[in-house]
Amino acid sequence: MSEWVALIIAMASACAVVMAVVVLRQRRPIEESADETPDVIEYITMMIGVVYAIVLGLAIAGVWEARGAAQDDLFREAQSLREISDRAVIYPAEFRDQVRADVDTYVSYVVNTEWSYMQETGGITEKGDQLLQKLQNDIATRSPASDLESQGYQPIMDRVSQASESRNSRGQNAGPTMPGVVWFGLIGGAVVTVGMLFALQIRRTPRELTLALCFSALIAFLLFMIWDFDNPFSRSVSVTTQPFEDLFPSLNLGG
């Protein structure tokens, strides 16, 4: 099922529930007048709405920040590998080609194999760790044969360490980032917030129904948006492999 279809279903379901409750309430005799809602109920409803709006805002900011951090980590990983490949020019042809082959093998594996595994399982693979470790070992175990290699050794090793750190961060950010207890609060708060509408004695007038349905649809949309951003590497607004594709055009990763 498309995520856009799921969003439409979620919003339509929220509106249908509100409509059904309003219709059922109108079929039952209500002794209270709709124009005589106690001030305390209006105050409580307002405070619940304010508190829930703050919670929603914090949740949206949290998942957006997590997605931004995941995107930055991926760019640093790709950029570090690109610099390793470029800085390998200081080595003799044979070893330079070996280093660049190690980089290309790792990048191709991440984009073509590990990425789909990460989206499905929420973790990175052991083979990817081994490929990056091989690159590090190949560079670390070769003694510099000239002053130029001695000067370039540490910067290259720094880029390898940066790529490794970014990879570890990518593995930690893979999968949902919101704890279950937060989702319980978000969904429970949505039910309470929408439910408080009926404490205000909503009638079946076009104006009141329209406002109630729009409010319910908005809550459903915001919850869906949080869920969509919750997993940085999957779903419709996920971080993609574009940095690898842009920095390694010769590998034809996007094809």
Side-chain angles (χ1 to χ4, degrees):
M1 179 187 298
S2 169
E3 293 181 2
W4 288 104
V5 175
L7 171 60
I8 293 174
I9 293 176
M11 295 175 65
S13 299
C15 293
V17 170
V18 172
M19 180 67 75
V21 173
V22 171
V23 171
L24 291 176
R25 281 171 56 88
Q26 291 297 320
R27 289 183 177 180
R28 298 176 56 186
I30 301 178
E31 296 181 357
E32 290 186 51
S33 171
D35 298 326
E36 297 179 356
T37 302
D39 291 341
V40 65
I41 293 182
E42 294 182 354
Y43 175 78
I44 293 174
T45 302
M46 179 188 67
M47 291 306 299
I48 289 175
V50 171
V51 171
Y52 189 63
I54 294 174
V55 173
L56 275 177
L58 291 175
I60 293 173
V63 294
W64 179 259
E65 182 179 358
R67 183 185 182 278
Q71 193 168 25
D72 291 342
D73 289 336
L74 184 68
F75 179 79
R76 280 195 298 269
E77 182 180 1
Q79 182 65 36
S80 298
L81 293 167
R82 177 73 262 179
E83 291 187 22
I84 293 171
S85 184
D86 292 340
R87 289 173 182 268
V89 70
I90 65 175
Y91 294 117
E94 182 179 356
F95 186 71
R96 178 179 66 238
D97 293 343
Q98 179 183 346
V99 170
R100 289 177 174 174
D102 288 343
V103 172
D104 292 348
T105 300
Y106 173 78
V107 171
S108 298
Y109 176 79
V110 169
V111 174
N112 297 327
T113 303
E114 187 176 61
W115 199 263
S116 58
Y117 174 86
M118 186 175 61
Q119 291 177 327
E120 295 172 0
T121 64
I124 55 179
T125 64
E126 184 177 352
K127 184 176 179 180
D129 294 335
Q130 294 172 353
L131 291 175
L132 189 58
Q133 186 64 44
K134 180 180 183 301
L135 171 64
Q136 183 175 12
N137 292 339
D138 288 344
I139 298 174
T141 56
R142 185 183 189 279
S143 300
S146 65
D147 291 341
L148 182 60
E149 291 184 20
S150 297
Q151 294 173 6
Y153 172 80
Q154 191 57 49
I156 292 179
M157 289 302 299
D158 290 342
R159 298 305 181 276
V160 175
S161 298
Q162 188 177 57
S164 179
E165 292 174 0
S166 299
R167 172 181 173 79
N168 292 333
S169 296
R170 173 162 60 87
Q172 294 173 359
N173 290 328
T177 58
M178 295 276 286
V181 65
V182 177
W183 275 114
F184 177 81
L186 288 174
I187 296 174
V191 173
V192 172
T193 303
V194 175
M196 287 300 294
L197 292 175
F198 304 109
L200 300 177
Q201 304 296 331
I202 294 178
R203 295 165 294 182
R204 283 194 293 179
T205 62
R207 182 179 60 181
E208 293 182 357
L209 278 178
T210 299
L211 291 176
L213 294 179
C214 289
F215 180 75
S216 303
L218 176 62
I219 295 295
F221 170 76
L222 292 176
L223 289 177
F224 182 88
M225 184 176 66
I226 293 172
W227 173 83
D228 208 15
F229 278 93
D230 186 30
N231 193 331
F233 295 106
S234 64
R235 301 171 186 164
S236 64
V237 291
S238 65
V239 177
T240 67
T241 58
Q242 194 65 41
F244 285 117
E245 297 172 14
D246 293 341
L247 294 175
F248 295 90
S250 61
L251 299 180
N252 294 321
L253 299 173

